[in-house]
Amino acid sequence: MKNRLDEIRKKHNMTQEELAEKLKVSRQTIGSLENGRYNPSIILAFKIAKLFKTSIEEIFIYGESEENE
Amino acid sequence: MKNRLDEIRKKHNMTQEELAEKLKVSRQTIGSLENGRYNPSIILAFKIAKLFKTSIEEIFIYGESEENE
DNA sequence: TTTGAATGGAAAGTTAACTTGACATACCAA
DNA sequence: TTGGTATGTCAAGTTAACTTTCCATTCAAA
């Protein structure tokens, strides 16, 4: 699954650490999401979407060819 | 987090087992989601939304008072 | 009344989404 | 050149989302 977290975070002029604080997760978690090392839990995805006042689908992109993930 | 999975599944005239097969998860996973024993992974949430041709937000409801979950 | 289909849910194991802590790199600014 | 800010990434530990297996309950149909 791809995501636009890096892009959206920068658009809001935030560092990974600032975003992590607002979401109450670690900085490493944000970095790992941005670099695709793992996917967010659905709760974290909801928190991120809420913070940026958008939907999960606008940030996290579930591709056609990812049926088996 | 609440969800309308039971309602939507029945609206589509499917059993838990049929839904599980289509999603390639176990029947117990569907039952556990419907009864709130745990939340889906974001990948499973995307699969469910795609199957029912709707959005994650239409099925899974992230409440205002769940900031710490 | 019995049988089978649908569901609820517990137990134990695996995996991935997190954590904290550490160290490396890159890049400004003083 | 030094120092601080931002990021990348690894290692080891915890937890929750899954799995399989099993048994119990409900209920409609034969």
Side-chain angles (χ1 to χ4, degrees):
Chain A
M1 209 186 48
K2 292 181 180 176
N3 71 73
R4 306 198 302 132
L5 196 50
D6 175 90
E7 171 195 344
I8 295 171
R9 172 178 62 80
K10 287 174 178 167
K11 198 176 295 176
H12 285 76
N13 294 312
M14 296 173 64
T15 65
Q16 289 185 350
E17 192 155 19
E18 286 167 347
L19 178 55
E21 283 169 11
K22 293 202 178 190
L23 296 168
K24 293 176 184 170
V25 295
S26 67
R27 177 183 68 82
Q28 286 80 349
T29 291
I30 302 301
S32 294
L33 294 179
E34 289 190 356
N35 290 294
R37 278 189 291 278
Y38 49 71
N39 296 321
S41 68
I42 193 170
I43 292 292
L44 181 52
F46 266 113
K47 285 183 184 174
I48 293 170
K50 184 177 182 177
L51 179 64
F52 291 129
K53 296 186 169 63
T54 183
S55 66
I56 288 178
E57 287 84 352
E58 286 288 327
I59 306 176
F60 300 95
I61 291 89
Y62 180 64
E64 294 293 328
S65 59
E66 308 181 62
E67 306 285 325
N68 294 325
E69 283 184 28
Chain B
M1 211 187 46
K2 292 180 181 177
N3 71 72
R4 305 197 301 132
L5 195 51
D6 174 90
E7 170 195 344
I8 294 171
R9 172 179 61 81
K10 287 175 179 167
K11 197 177 294 177
H12 286 76
N13 293 313
M14 297 173 64
T15 65
Q16 288 185 349
E17 192 155 20
E18 286 168 348
L19 178 55
E21 282 168 12
K22 294 202 177 191
L23 296 168
K24 293 176 184 169
V25 295
S26 67
R27 177 182 68 81
Q28 285 78 357
T29 292
I30 301 301
S32 294
L33 294 179
E34 289 189 356
N35 290 294
R37 278 189 292 276
Y38 50 71
N39 296 321
S41 68
I42 194 171
I43 291 292
L44 181 51
F46 265 112
K47 285 184 186 174
I48 293 170
K50 184 177 182 178
L51 180 63
F52 292 129
K53 297 186 168 62
T54 183
S55 65
I56 289 179
E57 287 85 352
E58 285 289 327
I59 306 176
F60 300 96
I61 291 89
Y62 180 64
E64 293 293 328
S65 58
E66 307 181 62
E67 306 285 324
N68 295 325
E69 285 184 28

